[in-house]
Structure formats: structure tokens, C-alpha cells
Amino acid sequence: MENIFVTNEEREEKTAAVLVSVFPKGEDPEEYEASLDELERLLETAGGECFARLIQNKDRPDNATYIGSGKIEELRTLCHTGGCELVIFDAELSPSQIRNIENELSRGEDKKVEATVIDRSMLILDIFALHAVTGEGKAQVELAQLKYTAPRLIGKGKQLSRLGGGIGTRGPGETKLEQDRRHLARRAAALEKEIEEMARSREVQRKQRDNTGMIKIAIAGYTNAGKSTLLNRLTDAGILAEDKLFATLDPTTRKYTLPSGNDILLTDTVGFIRNLPHHLIKAFKSTLDEVKYADAVVVMIDASDSQSASQLEVTESLLSELGAGDKPIVYVLNKCDKLEGGVVFPPNVLGGGKSLVMMSALTGEGMDSLIEKLEGVASMGKKRVELMIPNNKLSLIDIIYKNGSDIQVDYTPEGAEISAVLDAASIGKLSDYIKGE
């Protein structure tokens, strides 16, 4: 999918768009309004601006055009009035719906509109394409685009029309549309192989980090919750941190030394968002695995956002889907510097017994409380132990090197005397060889 938007340097004026949504009758309109607000922020992040919103109360979307014929006419009028060549639906459209909507908009003598119709997923993919920096990030975005847009590749006019099998429709060979689809399939296969190789390289890096014995903490949360800002404040990582959705796509890992002297590894991860396409999760699997393989998770929450509670639901659901739902979690109510009338996020949503910090990653307010929580995570069952491993059990030293840190080994005629900092699981496995126990 080619980028619909251009860079700031290339753009004289922003792309104007009409946002469209269907509110089922009886549903809470505030929820759908919030989703449209988010769609508008996505549009602004992509470099566009909202000319108008078109909302329809309807029991269920129309199978052919998602919205009814009357609203199609209203949409055509809005596009014509605002000179809009872009229409974005706050939903996932089928290939036939995209084709039908565009065809309907192009009809009419007085208000004929040639507009591009995209859905929420396409807009997110466009933003990802704008913000991908590394080779892996770019490959993952391109693959996700191909997976999503290939079924939506629809021929327009004779040049891309599919040949039929009857009289008057036969042709000399493969149509342009079929050639395009075959090319996309080959490109997708090549990208999958490329990403697989990068994933293997990432796995090697992950194992190397495992060998350090340092606790690995993933910084996760809804997009624009302040994850990159937090990593920058703690480690001077120098990551781009903007007040935009999906400003950071590529994971960044940095070492941070706690006041106690313990070293931990912090990883900034791609932000979550509601209705994140499943194929996007699959394409970014190797990146999102940073959350899966972390020892603990810091969940960032924008306490100043009126939708923070629902955003937390999305975050926790995706963490569970990634296999990280049962990990130790520190919840951070961030952006408290932006609060004037108190915390928007209701703390009771987290329930009792949850580790919670109120702070501002931008100003540093409350940072001491977070660091104290990180100290607790870093010491999760870890302690220094003295061991005596007999000569016939020296293979157990592998466990120490794999899971321990600050290791000192002294070989004697009886075996190996070892001093190391080990986690609770390793201590349990080696309990028979711990001195004094």
C-alpha cells in the first residue's frame, strides 16, 4: 500500500478527510465518540486533518456500503464541499465495501467525487510506514501492509479488470490485476523469510541478555502513554518521544543501574491500540516477544486521558494474548503534570494489591517511587548464595552461568566453590549444594 500522506517537507497543506462511523442503536455513544476522537488523532499523526465527521445510528452496518444510501449521498456532499479526496471509516471494511463506496461516490452529475476510501487498519498501517526506522521495522510494516491490502487489490477499468470465461471476455493472458497479486504474494514470501532471519538474530541477542543474569523489564502500554519518555529519562536513550500516536515502533533496550547497584534491562515497546489488526500482531511477533520474554512489565497509563480506563483494558487484553498477563506488573499513572482537576483514571479499576505509581516521566515527579518499585522487581527472590558443587555434578554450573550474576568460582580437589547471585528458581534447583543448608 502506497502512503496516502506525504511528509511535512513535501506537504503544502494537510490532507483533508471525512471520518465515518456507525453507532449501533442502544450502544453507549460516548464509547464510539471516543473511538472517533482517536481516529482523528491517528489522522493528524499521519499528516491529515478532519474536515467533517459523518455518524449514522444503525442496528448493523450495511453489507454493501457499510452506511445507508442516504448517508452515502451525504458523504458525497461533504467530500464535494470540502474538496476531500480521502474518506476514513472507523471500522474494518471488506474489499467489496471499499469498491462499492468508491463507486457510489464517483456517481452523480453535480457532486461527482473521486475519493480514496480506507479503514482504520489501513490508517494505522500508513502511520507505521511513516515511523518505521530499522530494517526489521520496515520489513514488518511492509509485510503487514501486503497481508492486509492484497485481498483489497481491486481492479478499476479495463486495465485491471479480471478476465471472464464467456464470449467477449476472453483475453490473451494474465491480467494486470492477476500479475499484481502474484507479485505481492512473492514479495510477502520474501519478507517473511527476511523477518524470520531477523527474528533469529533477535533471539541470539535475547539469549545474550539472558546470560547477563539481569532482570529484563518491558515498558508496555497504550500508544502515546509516555513509554519512550520514561526510558529516555531513566537511561538517556535518546529515543524520539513525541505527543503523537505510534511515535516509536522499533524496540530499544538499555541498561539501567538502580541505586542499590543492581543492573536491569529496560525495553521500550510498540504501543497498543484498540482494534489492533491481528495480522499486525503476527507481523510484529518478534518485536512483541520482548514483552513475552521479559521478567516483569511496567504498564504505562496516561492518567490525563479520559479514556485511560478503557485503554488499560485493551493493554491488559493484549498482554494476556502475548502470554505476558501473569508476569509481575508495575502500573504507572503517567502525565500527572497535566492534571488539574485530579486523576482522570479511576485507581479502583486496578483493584487491591496492585503495584501502582503516580508520576510524570516528562518532569520526573514521582520518579523515586517508580525506582523503589523497580528495586523490588529486581530483587525478585534473588540473593547471594555460597555453593559447593562436587566434581561429579559440575554440569550444574551451567545453571549458575545461565541464571546467575556476579559469579565467582574457585576449583578445589573436592569440586567447585561458587559464590553467585541467583534467582529463587535456581536456588531451589541447587538447594542440596548450598552451604549451610
Side-chain angles (χ1 to χ4, degrees):
M1 181 178 71
E2 294 184 2
N3 284 351
I4 298 159
F5 306 96
V6 295
T7 63
N8 289 325
E9 291 76 11
E10 299 170 322
R11 184 187 305 111
E12 293 183 359
E13 59 182 34
K14 293 183 177 181
T15 303
V18 178
L19 308 184
V20 184
S21 180
V22 170
F23 290 7
K25 294 178 180 178
E27 296 288 336
D28 183 5
E30 288 188 7
E31 179 180 343
Y32 292 90
E33 286 284 2
S35 184
L36 266 178
D37 289 343
E38 187 171 83
L39 187 68
E40 184 169 345
R41 290 194 65 199
L42 286 167
L43 172 62
E44 291 169 354
T45 298
E49 63 181 356
C50 176
F51 171 73
R53 293 183 178 188
L54 182 64
I55 299 169
Q56 182 171 30
N57 291 111
K58 194 176 176 67
D59 287 332
R60 62 179 61 86
D62 187 87
N63 289 333
T65 57
Y66 200 79
I67 53 177
S69 57
K71 286 295 181 182
I72 285 286
E73 182 64 33
E74 190 176 337
L75 177 59
R76 187 189 296 116
T77 300
L78 284 172
C79 290
H80 185 268
T81 302
C84 301
E85 297 180 351
L86 180 64
V87 177
I88 308 174
F89 280 72
D90 193 22
E92 190 165 305
L93 300 177
S94 68
S96 61
Q97 285 174 328
I98 293 175
R99 180 185 64 238
N100 293 338
I101 296 167
E102 290 184 345
N103 287 342
E104 288 294 329
L105 292 177
S106 65
R107 290 175 183 162
E109 298 299 327
D110 299 332
K111 300 173 183 175
K112 184 176 181 180
V113 174
E114 295 294 338
T116 299
V117 175
I118 65 172
D119 58 21
R120 184 186 182 90
S121 296
M122 290 177 175
L123 180 58
I124 291 174
L125 287 171
D126 196 275
I127 294 169
F128 274 37
L130 284 172
H131 292 172
V133 176
T134 66
E136 183 177 13
K138 291 178 180 178
Q140 288 175 135
V141 171
E142 186 181 351
L143 178 60
Q145 287 180 324
L146 291 178
K147 293 280 189 180
Y148 192 75
T149 59
R152 290 161 173 76
L153 187 65
I154 301 166
K156 296 182 180 179
K158 290 185 178 181
Q159 181 186 4
L160 291 178
S161 63
R162 188 179 179 88
L163 295 178
I167 295 173
T169 61
R170 298 187 182 98
E174 192 175 41
T175 65
K176 179 68 166 60
L177 177 58
E178 289 167 328
Q179 290 173 1
D180 286 347
R181 283 177 171 156
R182 204 154 53 82
H183 169 72
L184 292 181
R186 287 198 301 266
R187 179 59 181 159
L191 284 169
E192 285 177 337
K193 184 177 180 181
E194 184 180 336
I195 291 171
E196 191 176 314
E197 291 173 356
M198 293 185 202
R200 283 197 289 267
S201 175
R202 183 176 290 280
E203 180 64 24
V204 170
Q205 293 175 348
R206 190 178 292 123
K207 287 181 178 178
Q208 289 174 342
R209 293 199 296 265
D210 288 344
N211 290 337
T212 66
M214 285 185 276
I215 290 290
K216 302 179 295 297
I217 300 176
I219 305 173
Y222 212 76
T223 180
N224 201 39
K227 299 179 293 297
S228 298
T229 303
L230 176 62
L231 188 64
N232 284 341
R233 174 160 288 278
L234 286 172
T235 68
D236 295 322
I239 306 170
L240 175 67
E242 296 182 312
D243 189 17
K244 292 182 179 179
L245 304 186
F246 297 115
T248 304
L249 282 185
D250 301 292
T252 301
T253 299
R254 293 289 185 272
K255 183 175 77 171
Y256 175 65
T257 302
L258 292 161
S260 64
N262 285 328
D263 289 331
I264 60 175
L265 291 172
L266 295 168
T267 300
D268 181 24
T269 62
V270 62
F272 300 146
I273 196 167
R274 60 167 60 90
N275 302 323
L276 189 65
H278 187 70
H279 64 273
L280 201 56
I281 296 176
K282 289 182 67 177
F284 277 78
K285 182 181 182 300
S286 63
T287 300
L288 292 169
D289 275 350
E290 295 294 338
V291 177
K292 178 181 177 181
Y293 293 113
D295 297 302
V297 181
V298 169
V299 170
M300 302 291 287
I301 304 163
D302 183 352
S304 67
D305 194 311
S306 60
Q307 295 299 308
S308 55
S310 62
Q311 290 171 1
L312 177 61
E313 289 182 17
V314 172
T315 297
E316 291 187 319
S317 174
L318 286 171
L319 285 176
S320 179
E321 186 175 341
L322 294 170
D326 58 348
K327 294 182 182 295
I329 296 178
V330 176
Y331 294 89
V332 175
L333 290 179
N334 191 34
K335 302 189 182 182
C336 290
D337 57 302
K338 297 174 68 174
L339 298 175
E340 294 180 358
V343 180
V344 176
F345 181 83
N348 60 303
V349 171
L350 292 172
K354 296 292 181 68
S355 184
L356 179 64
V357 174
M358 288 185 61
M359 62 167 288
S360 168
L362 184 63
T363 67
E365 179 186 355
M367 186 64 71
D368 289 344
S369 297
L370 174 62
I371 292 174
E372 185 179 334
K373 297 287 186 183
L374 294 179
E375 288 278 19
V377 172
S379 63
M380 290 186 301
K382 282 194 171 185
K383 64 178 182 179
R384 176 167 293 281
V385 292
E386 308 294 328
L387 305 101
M388 177 62 194
I389 308 294
N391 288 322
N392 61 344
K393 296 289 184 179
L394 291 181
S395 60
L396 294 174
I397 296 178
D398 289 343
I399 297 175
I400 299 172
Y401 278 112
K402 182 177 180 181
N403 303 308
S405 61
D406 195 10
I407 302 167
Q408 301 165 28
V409 181
D410 183 21
Y411 289 98
T412 69
E414 292 76 25
E417 291 188 355
I418 301 174
S419 175
V421 176
L422 295 174
D423 56 29
S426 300
I427 290 173
K429 293 177 182 177
L430 302 170
S431 58
D432 290 342
Y433 309 100
I434 297 176
K435 293 182 179 180
E437 292 192 8

